[in-house]
């Protein structure tokens, strides 16, 4: 009975041609999938084409079979009753018609997607990649262009060391070497690699030459636009391959991080701008301010002032063009900050009028965005500037409190703000909280992904290590600073100060003279007149430590003769030398002159270990006592 029923049912199904309709549908569906696969492989249509196609074909299959079954159940109308096109239409079966229509839609879908994209549009996959941040990086294996592949091991080692070096930077998302290994042999276009790895930046490189002379070339590529951002060529030899790998990796890492930082900041600025004119004006202003440092170093203060004026005017116009965009306002505050620094009366303070101008700009920015971390950071910096310009200790304390509050708010809102951590370190250092200051500097160093403030941060680490009397750390951070920034005097100054203190490294007189000469050579022309007597006073203190007291007194006289006017900093360093000589009365007098000129330094001096031998002296306590508020 079962067999008979089955045969009968099978016969009925076959008679109604459901099998034929289903087979035709599946054949056409297979053809649509094959065509789609070819189009995707050739990147004519995106991979997102497949999900809607598959859904359409799966849903359509039971619909087609149902229509085929229903059509067979309807009584057939004699063909003779119809003529012409009507007879032809009745001869078609709905199942075949629907199957053909569905497959045609499937085949036409790629054409629709191509038209939708248009000639000027990019692949959706590429557009998705463009949304990835530039901080997502893939370092591709370096190519070996040496004869006979003799430097292949070097290319491999450089690549893997660079991946490791960049991966240490917390703000960067660096793909592991295992992720990039499949592309080591080449042959895959950069845009495909970037899309598959999901990165916004590619690093490529090559090694050429021989063991006697090696040349490493590196390129930084914007994976979103496939544009070349930067390149660097580093020569070397393989006398010590490990040293070469370390040096080249370090140079490449620092160069890439700085250049990448520029790109990231431009992207962030561009994202915030809604007015093309304002954007262009801000870019022009930034280009101008890049030239200021060179003008100041060359002693062209008038040229620097004119450049600042032009930059501020451009930013003022940008602010007018887009009043809701706070970047031009904050940029004006930064210009004022730079002027406060470069036009300061001495090394220990800032020009207060420009600091106040900067604060006015910041307050306008905060009126638009009260919790903007950049604005809070800038206000904290400018408030600290003003602490160095006031003679009233209560005012100084109040300004420091406000500065610390703003800087802590900035890093709380955005922990990666290296500049805010750096200035917080400076505020804490001014309070004599050297351990906390060094910890804040360490946070700044970790957060400084693009080495924007690496020089100043290294100085903070170096100086606070000095204050903590950690000579190993002093050597480490000052050495790192001098290696990375050999043209900067600040690290030399700290090393000389370490030698001149009451304790520390061995009193190497020859090294002290070498540091003093280097310090003078590296100082800007307008600052050399102050640097020379200060440096000589420190050399005098080293001579005292080396038990050369007569020579120390002669150098003190030489330093005084080199002065062009009064300088509280010289008083400070001479007081140290006199104290080492055992001339306590004269040391206290000089220290008093220093604090009369800079009363805001009293809390610092009260805790300064240089004067530890005086801490119990009533005269010293009177000097550093806070002023009576009445």
């Amino acid at each position: 009975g079962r067999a008979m029923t089955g045969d009968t049912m099978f016969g009925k199904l076959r008679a109604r041609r459901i099998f034929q309709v289903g087979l035709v549908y599946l054949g056409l569906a297979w053809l649509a999938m094959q065509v789609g696969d070819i189009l995707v492989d050739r990147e004519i249509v995106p991979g997102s084409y497949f999900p809607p196609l598959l859904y359409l074909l799966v849903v359509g299959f039971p619909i087609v079979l149902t229509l085929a079954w229903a059509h067979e159940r309807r009584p057939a109308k004699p063909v003779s009753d119809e003529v012409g096109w009507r007879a032809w239409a009745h001869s078609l079966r709905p199942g075949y018609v629907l199957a053909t229509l569905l497959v045609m839609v499937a085949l036409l879908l790629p054409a629709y997607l191509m038209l939708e994209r248009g000639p000027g549009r990019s692949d959706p996959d590429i557009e998705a990649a463009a949304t990835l941040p530039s901080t997502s990086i893939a370092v591709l294996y370096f190519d070996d262009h040496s004869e006979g592949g003799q430097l292949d091991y070097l290319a491999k080692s450089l690549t893997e060391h660079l991946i490791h070096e960049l991966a240490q930077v917390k703000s960067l998302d660096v793909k592991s070497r295992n992720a990039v290994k499949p592309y080591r042999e080449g042959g895959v276009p950069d845009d495909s690699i970037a899309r598959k790895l999901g990165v916004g930046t590619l690093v490529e490189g090559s090694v050429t030459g021989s063991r006697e002379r090696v040349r490493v070339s590196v390129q930084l590529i914007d994976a979103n636009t496939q544009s070349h951002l930067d390149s660097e060529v580093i020569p070397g030899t393989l006398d010590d391959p490990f040293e070469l790998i370390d040096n080249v990796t370090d140079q490449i890492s620092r160069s890439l991080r700085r250049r990448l930082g520029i790109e990231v900041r431009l992207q962030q600025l561009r994202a915030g701008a809604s007015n093309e004119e304002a954007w262009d004006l801000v870019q022009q202003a930034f280009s101008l301010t890049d030239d200021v440092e060179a003008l100041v170093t060359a002693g062209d203060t008038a040229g620097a002032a004119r450049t600042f004026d032009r930059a501020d005017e451009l930013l003022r116009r940008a602010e007018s063009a887009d009043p809701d965009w706070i970047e031009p306002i904050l940029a004006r505050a930064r210009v004022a900050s730079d002027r406060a620094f470069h036009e300061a009366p001495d090394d220990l303070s800032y020009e207060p009028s420009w600091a106040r101008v900067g604060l006015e700009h910041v307050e306008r920015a905060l009126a638009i965005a009260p919790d903007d971390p950049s604005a809070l950071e800038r206000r904290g910096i400018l408030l600290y500037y003003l602490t160095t310009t006031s003679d009233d200790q209560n005012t100084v304390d109040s300004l420091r409190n406000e500065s610390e509050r703003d800087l802590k708010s900035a890093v709380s809102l955005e922990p990666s703000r290296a500049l805010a951590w750096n200035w917080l370190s400076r505020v804490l250092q001014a309070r004599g909280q050297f351990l906390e200051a060094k910890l804040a500097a360490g946070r700044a160093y970790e957060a400084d992904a693009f080495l924007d403030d690496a020089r100043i941060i290294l100085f903070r680490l170096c100086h606070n290590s000095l204050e903590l009397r950690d000579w190993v750390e002093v050597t480490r951070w000052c050495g790192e600073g001098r290696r990375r920034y050999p043209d900067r005097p600040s690290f030399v100054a700290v090393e000389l100060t370490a030698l001149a203190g009451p304790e520390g490294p061995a009193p190497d007189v020859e090294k002290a003279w070498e540091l003093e000469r280097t310090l003078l050579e590296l100082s800007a022309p307008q600052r050399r007149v102050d640097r020379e007597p200060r440096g000589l006073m420190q050399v005098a203190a080293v001579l005292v430590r080396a038990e050369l007291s007569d020579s120390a007194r002669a150098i003190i006289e030489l330093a005084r003769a080199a002065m062009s006017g009064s300088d509280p900093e010289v008083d400070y360093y001479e007081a140290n030398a006199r104290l080492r000589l055992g001339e306590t009365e004269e040391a206290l007098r000089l220290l008093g002159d220093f604090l009369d000129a800079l009363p805001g330094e009293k809390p610092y001096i009260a805790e300064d270990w240089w004067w530890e031998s005086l801490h119990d002296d009533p005269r010293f306590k009177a000097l550093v006592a806070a002023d009576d508020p009445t």
Side-chain angles (χ1 to χ4, degrees), residues 418-436:
L419 185 62
W421 280 114
N422 176 39
W423 278 92
L424 179 59
S425 173
R426 186 163 187 170
V427 172
L428 294 169
Q429 180 180 319
R431 293 186 185 281
Q433 298 171 239
F434 303 119
L435 180 58
E436 293 83 352

Side-chain angles (χ1 to χ4, degrees), residues 328-348:
I329 307 173
L330 290 177
R332 295 185 74 184
R334 286 194 293 274
V335 168
S337 297
D338 290 344
R339 297 194 77 160
F341 172 75
H342 289 299
E343 298 179 18
D346 56 66
D347 287 348
L348 298 177

Side-chain angles (χ1 to χ4, degrees), residues 9 32 53-54 68 96 129 153 183 207 215 230 266 379 387 391 402 409 418 450 461 486 536 569 583 625:
M9 181 61 69
L53 172 63
L54 186 60
Y96 292 125
Y153 75 95
Y183 310 101
V207 178
R215 190 175 74 168
D230 200 6
L266 286 175
R379 187 168 68 179
T387 65
D391 294 334
E402 293 178 39
S409 295
F450 307 118
L461 290 163
L536 289 172
E569 192 81 352
E583 301 173 11

Side-chain angles (χ1 to χ4, degrees), residues 44-86:
I44 297 174
V45 297
S48 56
Y49 160 70
F50 271 110
L53 172 63
L54 186 60
Y55 178 80
L56 180 67
L57 294 175
V58 170
V59 171
F61 186 63
I63 296 175
V64 167
L65 294 182
T66 302
L67 287 174
W69 177 280
H71 178 75
E72 293 294 337
R73 292 178 61 84
R74 293 172 55 192
K77 194 172 186 178
V79 177
S80 58
D81 291 352
E82 300 286 352
V83 294
W85 67 270
R86 293 187 179 184

Side-chain angles (χ1 to χ4, degrees), residues 28-40:
L28 292 173
W30 176 84
L31 176 63
M33 295 294 287
Q34 293 302 308
V35 171
D37 188 51
I38 293 171
L39 294 176
V40 170

